[in-house]
Amino acid sequence: MGFHRIRIWLLVTALALGIALPAGAQLMPEEKDALKEALFIGNITEDELKYERVQFKDPFRMRIIDEVLNQPIETADKLMALHNVAKKSMSDLIRVGRDHIIKNSLQAEVDAPGGSMFPALPESIRASVGILVGGLAQAQVDVQLALSNLTDDEQRDLIESLPVLAVEEPKVTFEFTRKPPLSRTQILALIRKVDLDKLLTAGLNLSTAVEKAMVGLRIAKADVPAPVKLKVNAVNIVVLGSGDDQFQGKGEDLVIDLGGNDQFTGRIGGGIGKASVFIAIGGNDSFDLGDGSGGSGVLGIGIMRKVGGRDSFRGKSLCFGAGLCGVGGFAKEGGDDFYDAVSLSEGFAMFGVGACIDTSGNDHYTLGLHGQGDSRTLGVGWLVDRKGDDVYSAGGISLNSPLFKDIYYSWAQGSSSGYREDTGGVSGGLGMLTDLSGDDTYISQTYAQAASYWYSVGTLFDGNGHDTYTGYHYVQASAMHACGAFLFDLRGDDGYLTKFGASHAIGHDYGVAF
């Protein structure tokens, strides 16, 4: 079921009546009336949109997927409200993601070590470091409790197999994988042993601790003459000074950089089977990171925060806000920045939450496959850019064959996909791209710009600006097979270009496109 004709009528009616477009929380009453009139012209009522589209049961399906299929117009309001959470903190985004996967646990208070435990550090940052160490120590315990039903070998099997299942592309390899991957059936059996609620709540708690600590770190005028290395409460800590550093991360639990124009390589802020935090304050920095880094969690929690500067973020796969059976949080404040990743990055999640946030600046995002607000089973992947003229580009790794000889999959810019089988398969998740303002450019090939496949939901929200959308096929509100695709662009003179078809609000085989 597609709403492309409805959308045209809605906009014409809004213009004719002088209706103001909504601020972003929900459809306005006048717009809902116009939508009813458009349906009437097509000899359809709202009640007739509510027919059974859910053909299979699936223990891994998120509730919002069924809501989209059963109540498409009502759920449009819910999705618009979700996009408005993008104005809030990283913890708020993680909380939304967790609550849409599993609603349960309350947030716990974090016990922080006293400042006297860090005599080698400037006094002005000791309290903040104490909060971070307390949060990380608790997170490490919670991660191990969440994984306690798995043997060490089973944990390793999941760490090596989940990325392969998520990307489904042999061209993409991972630095930390050595063994042949498990089958999907074997992976799902092991996932059932994970306390996903405890794992996601641990990610939320650690993100909250990071936000508390950054209050002091932002205003502290602190420096260290040489890198300081500590171990407190089993947390490995590195503090870098305000000079220009070259640092190769080796999976430390906590890295804090106090300034300077720095170069970072290796693995920082990557929680593979554990929790890890990276924070950098000021400077124009360059990041060239490996797999599972820069705010990614694989059976764990990884958080990366960067304040100020014009930065270059280059990574392989699973970086810049990626949660794979875990929580990955990345946030950059200010500056004109460049992002480049191979796959499963820039806001990707499967069995978890992956959030990538940029607060302002004219930014450029490039990606090969799966990211920029993309998800798979029980994942909430979310890319948020709040301000600036931005460019989003995705595709170029995985050929969409045999349909095309030279066109690639994107799976990006507000997309999600499940695993289709005639017997039901496995559902996808919720993929979201939220851009609140600026004249933006969205470039993709297939499956992007609010696209979904098989019991999943993909949604893109652009709040303001003169924007350009370019795609090839299955883009711009394209819902293929019992799924939902919602594209909201509220203001501006925009251009929408597709080169083949299945776009501009097309719902196919029980699909709901808006």
Side-chain angles (χ1 to χ4, degrees), residues 3-12 35 487 489 496:
F3 284 132
H4 56 294
R5 293 188 180 89
I6 294 172
R7 182 180 182 279
I8 293 170
W9 170 255
L10 171 61
L11 293 179
V12 170
L35 189 56
L487 195 160
D489 192 302
Y496 301 85

Side-chain angles (χ1 to χ4, degrees), residues 209 334 367:
L367 174 84

Side-chain angles (χ1 to χ4, degrees), residues 100-323:
H100 275 78
I101 297 170
I102 299 173
K103 287 195 173 186
N104 199 345
S105 303
L106 297 175
Q107 183 173 313
E109 289 296 322
V110 175
D111 295 325
S116 61
M117 298 185 69
F118 310 101
L121 298 178
E123 186 175 355
S124 61
I125 66 170
R126 291 177 188 173
S128 292
V129 174
I131 293 171
L132 291 167
V133 170
L136 273 163
Q138 184 61 56
Q140 305 290 26
V141 172
D142 290 340
V143 167
Q144 293 311 311
L145 287 173
L147 305 178
S148 60
N149 290 328
L150 297 170
T151 67
D152 290 346
D153 286 342
E154 287 173 334
Q155 290 186 36
R156 192 68 222 172
D157 283 338
L158 275 180
I159 287 171
E160 296 203 18
S161 298
L162 271 170
V164 178
L165 177 63
V167 75
E168 289 192 300
E169 172 50 66
K171 292 180 184 177
V172 179
T173 59
F174 303 90
E175 296 168 342
F176 51 81
T177 59
R178 299 290 184 270
K179 302 187 294 185
L182 300 179
S183 69
R184 189 178 73 199
T185 300
Q186 291 172 314
I187 291 172
L188 296 180
L190 292 181
I191 288 290
R192 287 175 177 271
K193 294 184 178 184
V194 177
D195 189 339
L196 199 55
D197 187 12
K198 180 173 287 294
L199 190 55
L200 299 187
T201 300
L204 171 60
N205 291 343
L206 181 56
S207 176
T208 302
V210 170
E211 288 163 6
K212 290 179 180 178
M214 290 189 68
V215 174
L217 290 175
R218 290 174 192 279
I219 61 175
K221 295 183 176 6
D223 198 7
V224 292
V228 177
K229 297 183 179 181
L230 304 168
K231 188 171 184 178
V232 179
N233 290 3
V235 176
N236 293 303
I237 309 163
V238 177
V239 178
L240 304 172
S242 60
D244 297 343
D245 302 304
Q246 292 185 352
F247 180 79
Q248 182 176 12
K250 298 179 180 179
E252 292 84 357
D253 300 322
L254 173 61
V255 177
I256 300 173
D257 178 67
L258 298 175
N261 302 322
D262 309 307
Q263 295 180 351
F264 296 94
T265 58
R267 183 179 297 155
I268 55 174
I272 299 181
K274 65 169 193 171
S276 179
V277 173
F278 172 89
I279 298 172
I281 307 294
N284 300 321
D285 298 330
S286 173
F287 299 84
D288 190 356
L289 307 180
D291 294 322
S293 192
S296 68
V298 183
L299 261 69
I301 305 159
I303 293 176
M304 177 173 176
R305 303 289 301 253
K306 174 64 171 67
V307 179
R310 299 181 64 178
D311 304 314
S312 171
F313 299 95
R314 297 181 184 273
K316 292 185 179 178
S317 296
L318 288 165
C319 53
F320 313 137

